[in-house]
């Protein structure tokens, strides 16, 4: 009797929940809501207040919003951020692709040391940003023991003011960031190169195409999606970079290397202006979304079969 009633009642509630795919998504949705969506919404709310780290008197106002966008330093900060981001993204893409092509070419010729080369490149990626900045600070040091200037002196070349010259400090920051981020681009391009059909290169060789022609007409078109996806990820990573810069130059000399992420950090934790930092965080989010949509507009679209 009992078994007959269970058959009539159908599967239990637990089995019906287990069979429903949305059940498996609930933990992920809760985690995203608590750790991602709620902080983002709270940052939007704080941007419309006068919140401070040293005061509990919080009220809603647009004075902070007006003050941040009327800050005369903001335009220079955005220009510095644009230079740092563009140079870093281009550098990471070029060097990442070059190393990936070098590794692929070495593997096709079965040269030894390709695994060691990949591992050596990946070492830079796993180093924390603070440590990366300190390493390059020692290399760029203008003291007598500075590594790079010591090499220049041995070559009878005048030492370079890597960190104290405002025009060269940005170059130093870009070199540091490119060195660390190139490994990620190399991984993306290496995986994409593995997916290219080798018969395309064999057919091009039969037609007499050279290396540059293969790169231009086969490799780069086949890597279009990988280049765009990598551009989105690298751009967002670079826009959020502040740990490597704060340990390398501290944003100086003056404000020569103070990017938007570092400006936001200084606004919150040095000026205790939580509302101002929230406004700048929202600005960074908007810039990241606009750039991501811009890159995505060039993504190849799959043709609909009739």
């Amino acid at each position: 009797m009992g078994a007959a009633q269970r058959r009539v009642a159908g599967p239990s509630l637990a089995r019906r929940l287990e069979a429903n795919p949305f059940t498996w998504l609930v933990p992920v949705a809760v985690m995203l809501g608590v750790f991602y969506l709620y902080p983002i919404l709270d940052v939007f709310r704080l941007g419309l207040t006068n919140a401070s780290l040293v005061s509990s008197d919080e009220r809603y106002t647009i004075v902070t919003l007006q003050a941040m966008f009327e800050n005369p330093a903001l335009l220079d900060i955005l220009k510095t951020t644009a230079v740092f981001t563009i140079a870093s993204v281009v550098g990471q893409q070029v060097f990442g692709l070059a190393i990936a092509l070098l590794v692929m070419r070495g593997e096709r010729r079965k040269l030894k040391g390709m695994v060691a080369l990949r591992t050596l490149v990946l070492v830079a990626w796993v180093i924390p940003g603070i440590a990366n900045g300190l390493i390059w600070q020692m290399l760029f040091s203008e003291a007598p023991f500075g590594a790079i200037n010591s090499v220049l002196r041995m070559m009878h070349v005048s030492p370079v003011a890597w960190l104290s010259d405002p025009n060269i400090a940005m170059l130093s920051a870009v070199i540091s960031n490119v060195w660390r981020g190139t490994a990620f681009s190399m991984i993306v391009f290496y995986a994409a190169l593995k997916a290219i059909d080798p018969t395309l290169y064999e057919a091009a060789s039969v037609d007499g195409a050279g290396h540059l022609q293969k790169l231009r007409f086969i490799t780069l078109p086949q890597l279009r999606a990988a280049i765009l996806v990598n551009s989105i990820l690298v751009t967002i990573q670079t826009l959020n970079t502040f740990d490597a810069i704060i340990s390398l130059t501290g944003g100086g000399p003056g404000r020569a290397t103070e990017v938007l992420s570092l400006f936001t950090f200084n606004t919150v934790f040095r000026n205790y202006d939580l509302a101002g930092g929230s406004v700048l965080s929202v600005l960074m989010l908007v810039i990241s979304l606009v750039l991501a949509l811009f890159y995505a507009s060039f993504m190849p679209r799959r043709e609909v079969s009739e």
Side-chain angles (χ1 to χ4, degrees):
M1 184 65 180
Q5 288 178 342
R6 284 196 295 272
R7 284 195 297 270
V8 172
S12 63
L13 178 62
R15 289 191 175 184
R16 280 184 290 172
L17 290 175
E18 187 178 358
N20 191 340
F22 291 103
T23 305
W24 300 95
L25 297 177
V26 170
V28 178
V30 172
M31 294 290 289
L32 291 176
V34 172
F35 294 103
Y36 287 90
L37 183 59
Y38 173 72
I40 291 175
L41 295 177
D42 201 41
V43 165
F44 275 94
R45 183 188 68 80
L46 289 171
L48 297 174
T49 67
N50 64 339
S52 169
L53 289 181
V54 294
S55 174
S56 59
D57 180 20
E58 181 180 316
R59 55 186 173 79
Y60 289 93
T61 176
I62 61 171
V63 173
T64 305
L65 188 66
Q66 293 177 337
M68 293 310 301
F69 283 104
E70 292 175 357
N71 189 337
L74 182 59
L75 183 59
D76 292 333
I77 296 293
L78 291 176
K79 290 180 180 176
T80 303
T81 305
V83 172
F84 177 73
T85 303
I86 293 172
S88 295
V89 171
V90 172
Q92 291 178 30
Q93 300 261 36
V94 170
F95 285 106
L97 179 59
I99 296 174
L101 288 171
L102 181 66
V103 172
M104 284 292 296
R105 191 174 179 83
E107 289 181 347
R108 285 173 184 164
R109 296 192 173 192
K110 299 182 180 180
L111 297 179
K112 295 181 179 179
M114 291 299 104
V115 176
L117 177 60
R118 293 204 310 261
T119 306
L120 185 64
V121 175
L122 290 176
V123 168
W125 190 35
V126 299
I127 293 178
I130 292 290
N132 177 69
L134 292 175
I135 290 171
W136 280 96
Q137 189 184 49
M138 290 187 287
L139 293 174
F140 286 133
S141 175
E142 297 165 26
F145 54 81
I148 296 179
N149 278 342
S150 295
V151 173
L152 293 178
R153 289 191 191 94
M154 293 173 60
M155 299 171 63
H156 304 289
V157 177
S158 300
V160 178
W162 295 103
L163 302 177
S164 60
D165 188 330
N167 297 320
I168 302 178
M170 175 56 72
L171 175 63
S172 304
V174 170
I175 292 174
S176 167
N177 194 51
V178 168
W179 180 78
R180 182 172 178 239
T182 293
F184 180 80
S185 298
M186 187 272 288
I187 295 171
V188 173
F189 291 138
Y190 178 77
L193 287 171
K194 282 279 189 182
I196 297 178
D197 189 352
T199 58
L200 295 175
Y201 294 104
E202 294 172 1
S205 298
V206 172
D207 292 337
H211 294 299
L212 290 178
Q213 290 173 315
K214 292 178 183 177
L215 176 65
R216 179 181 177 186
F217 296 108
I218 298 177
T219 303
L220 291 180
Q222 294 291 322
L223 292 180
R224 182 182 173 186
I227 292 173
L228 291 170
V229 170
N230 188 54
S231 298
I232 295 174
L233 298 176
V234 170
T235 301
I236 294 175
Q237 289 174 358
T238 304
L239 279 172
N240 288 280
T241 299
F242 82 96
D243 48 0
I245 296 180
I246 198 172
S247 58
L248 177 64
T249 64
R255 283 187 153 171
T257 57
E258 187 174 6
V259 295
L260 185 57
S261 56
L262 182 56
F263 186 45
T264 305
F265 176 86
N266 291 334
T267 301
V268 176
F269 294 103
R270 293 185 176 175
N271 298 337
Y272 310 114
D273 186 358
L274 184 58
S278 299
V279 172
L280 295 174
S281 298
V282 173
L283 179 60
M284 287 178 56
L285 176 63
V286 172
I287 293 174
S288 298
L289 287 175
V290 170
L291 290 176
L293 292 174
F294 174 74
Y295 288 132
S297 66
F298 293 98
M299 291 286 285
R301 289 173 174 76
R302 185 176 299 176
E303 296 181 357
V304 179
S305 58
E306 296 180 356

